[in-house]
Structures are given as C-alpha cells and as structure tokens.
Amino acid sequence: MKGIAVIISNKYPFPPDDGKKTVLAGFLAYLIDRFGRDNVLYVVIGRRNNAAQGEVICRNVWIDPPTLSAQAWNVFRCISRLDRKSMQEALTYSSKVERKLKDLLSSVQPQLIILDTLRIGQFFWSWRPLGSRLVLYMDDLFSLRFRRMTEVTKTTSEVRFDPSGTFSSTLPAIARAVIKIGVVHKYLFKLESARTEAREHECTALFDQCLLINPNEAKTLLDNCPGKPIAAVTPVLFNEPCGIRRMFDGSPMFLLFGSLRHPVYRASVMRFLAHDVDGVLQSIPNARICMVGDGADDEIRSLCARFDGRVEALGFVDRLDEIFSTACALLVPLLAAGGLKLKVLTALYYGLPIISTDSGVDGIPLIDGTHFLRESATERFSIHMRRLMDVKYNLEISRNASAIFNEVYSKTRIYRDYDNLMDIECDAGIDATH
C-alpha cells in the first residue's frame, strides 16, 4: 500500500488500559497492516509519559497540549457563550496546536487521516490537507449519553455526572470544586449537552466519513442528518481466536471490568457497591467480586473495605486470561451509557457469561438467555449470579457467547469493513489475516 496514514489523538494507545485506547490500538494495527509500519504516523496532542516509552510500533509525534491559561480562556468563552465549542473541545483547543498540525500534515501529505473524536476534529473545521481523506472517529454519540444521564439523575439524587467528562482531571482543583456546586453543575450539564449535539450534527458535513462505535447511535445520527457519510465501525480487540480454555469450577467469583476513570462507569459501580452488594453477599455468602481496571481511588477503596475482603479492587491487569477463564460471570451494572461496551466484547471473546443492564449491551447483537442474562434492576443481579454458579448452565451460556464473538467480531471480517470505510484498495497479496 503506497501513501501515508496518520492517526491524531489526545491519547497514546499503549498500554490499552481503557476502551478508547483499545479502539485506537486496533486502528493502528490495521493501518500498519495496510500501509506498512514506516508509512504510519501516530500524533499525540498531550504530554509524553513513561507509559508511552516502551511500545513504539510506528513513527510517533508528540505535540504539547494547550497551556492552562489557554484552557481557562477557552472555557470562559464556552461558558459565556462567546464560542460555540463544547467544553471538552474548549479544554483541548489552542491556535498553537492547530498551527503545528497544519505544518506537520503539509509536510507529510497523508493519504488518510483518522481523527479521534470532535476534540481533534475541531482543528479541521476551517481547513483540510490537500488530497487527504479525513475520517472522524466520533466514538460515542455524546449528546445521547447526556440525555440518558439526565434521565438517571431525575430518578436518583445520589448519582451525579461530571459535564467535563474524562477531562475533569486536567482542570485545576478550584475549577473542579466550582463545577460541583449545584446550580453551576446543572447549568454546565445543560450547556454541554446542547453544544455537543449541535457540533455532532454540524461535523457530518465536514468530513469524508464519520464513524460511531454503536450501530444504533450511527442510525440515530443518520436519521437526524440524512444523506451524510455516517457509519458504524466495529473495534478490533483481538488478533486471533481465543485459545484459552474455560475453567470455571462453580466458585462464586464475579468480575467488574473497566476503567473507573470513566465518569459514567464510575458512578454506576459506586452505586452498585453502595446499594446492591450487601444483598449479593446475603444471597451468596461466599461470593467474591473482583474489580479489574484502573482508576480506583480512596473513595472506591473505602466502599470496598466495607465488605471484609470479599470485594477487591485489583487495578489494571495486564493479562486477563486466568481471571476471565475462571470467573463465574461479568457484572455490568451500568445506569446509563453510550457507545459500545468493550468490556462486554472482551467477556464474549473469553466466553465469560455476562449479567448486564440494557445500557451495557446496547448495539451488540445479543439474545437474552442465550448469549447473556439481561437485568435492568441491579438489585436483582444476585438471582442471575446464583443461576450461573451451575457449571453446566454456565458452560452453555459461555459457548453461545464465544460463538457470537467469532461470528461478528473476528479480525478478518472487521478489516474488510475497514477497507470500505476508509476507502482503501489493498495491494494484491495483502490479507486481513496477516
């Protein structure tokens, strides 16, 4: 494959310790397969960190992110309605970054550029590199996520979602404190929801392809923006079929899996720990719940400590084979969600049975009672957890889960879909299984 391909993101994809990094790592592997390692450039707008030192599989360029003063000015313009950007765009924009991107891409002249969400897409609203195909990976339909979160907060005052999303950690402490003030929080949440929806609709006229990870969300956006280049994209999670044998022996060990830095998942897990786990342990006294994923802070650990070691935060686990092959089931107590839950796809790959709310499996073609167990009321999870402790029944659900993963999410099938979405014609001899 001749030409240059570029990915631009605020995140370096290694280690792939959250869903976004996993998707980006899949895009990167695909581009290297199609263009060759020397013809792929990964651009990160962010600070280089130690985690990024050990894994270099293509050419990398690091561009310093906006300064705190630039962020503060952009957020002020956003909140005071002097700018149409969403808050997450405001936090990641600067004219200096835009100039550096223009200079870099003018010198490289890439054939294909993949932009990681509106945060990166905003740099290309008023210009585009000559001869480049621009693909915007939108990830989730964030406006839909905001609406779902709003519905959740109407039914319970115990759950609050941060309007600055995963970028809240980049804000000064005083700004994070101000956001938590009731009237400010409500105003910013409403503003961010409206701004995000407007930007999502407008962007569909600016790029050659707009990709969403959830097919239901892609259809929703296409219904609102008919005729625009909108499509669903399936993530590549694993290069080979799963070769790990299921070794469940009836032990009541259950998993919560995902990054606790994600505001929606964090709020859902905290509510589950605070309100539902007591009932689980009363129903299944010898049950263990292991939380796999980064982001467990003092607040999470304090909740875990209530259960005398029966609920444990393991943090990021580099190799999932052993814990996924021996666990009874994955618990997905999501209250609201957007996108496609990679934690669910990972469980399907390993044949790990899943107990999930509707939010956790949205956009994944699963049949309740065949590929997973649906439960909208998280306080009733324990009923299904007891059912899955039966080894024979667990194996039945496990086999069905593995089968649907191999049918829908195999690398070979996904790479062929990518060729169409990226408008790439493969050279003779290149095959998606390589």
Side-chain angles (χ1 to χ4, degrees), residues 7-23:
I7 299 178
I8 309 175
S9 175
N10 296 113
K11 285 190 172 186
Y12 191 71
F14 302 106
D17 52 8
D18 65 34
K20 170 63 77 61
K21 289 183 180 181
T22 300
V23 173

Side-chain angles (χ1 to χ4, degrees), residues 9-14 21 42-53 61-71 91-92 94 96-97 100 167 170:
S9 175
N10 296 113
K11 285 190 172 186
Y12 191 71
F14 302 106
K21 289 183 180 181
Y42 195 101
V43 181
V44 186
I45 302 174
R47 304 287 182 195
R48 187 191 297 264
N49 54 49
N50 292 333
Q53 302 297 328
V61 172
W62 295 78
I63 296 176
D64 286 340
T67 62
L68 287 176
S69 59
Q71 286 182 318
L91 285 167
T92 51
S94 83
K96 184 177 181 180
V97 171
K100 288 186 176 181
F167 276 78
T170 68

Side-chain angles (χ1 to χ4, degrees), residues 112-242:
L112 173 67
I113 306 173
I114 298 177
L115 310 172
D116 178 22
T117 73
L118 287 168
R119 299 164 191 159
I120 302 298
Q122 66 177 319
F123 292 105
F124 297 84
W125 281 55
S126 59
W127 75 285
R128 64 181 298 149
L130 187 65
S132 298
R133 178 173 174 80
L134 287 180
V135 174
L136 178 66
Y137 172 59
M138 297 178 69
D139 192 10
D140 299 354
L141 199 58
F142 286 95
S143 58
L144 182 59
R145 177 186 292 184
F146 274 117
R147 286 199 291 273
R148 289 171 175 167
M149 289 190 291
T150 300
E151 290 304 312
V152 170
T153 55
K154 286 179 180 178
T155 61
T156 174
S157 60
E158 299 168 346
V159 178
R160 300 181 73 194
F161 301 105
D162 191 336
S164 60
T166 56
F167 276 78
S168 61
S169 60
T170 68
L171 294 172
I174 189 171
R176 294 197 299 271
V178 170
I179 285 175
K180 293 180 180 179
I181 298 173
V183 64
V184 176
H185 181 274
K186 185 175 181 180
Y187 168 73
L188 291 180
F189 204 88
K190 184 177 181 180
L191 177 66
E192 186 72 353
S193 178
R195 288 284 180 85
T196 300
E197 183 168 21
R199 299 288 277 186
E200 286 170 344
H201 291 182
E202 292 171 18
C203 79
T204 60
L206 300 174
F207 300 98
D208 297 303
Q209 188 68 267
C210 295
L211 303 177
L212 286 156
I213 199 169
N214 186 314
N216 293 335
E217 294 181 12
K219 182 180 183 303
T220 296
L221 186 60
L222 190 58
D223 288 344
N224 290 319
C225 307
K228 296 299 189 294
I230 300 163
V233 62
T234 306
V236 177
L237 299 186
F238 301 96
N239 288 325
E240 305 293 340
C242 184

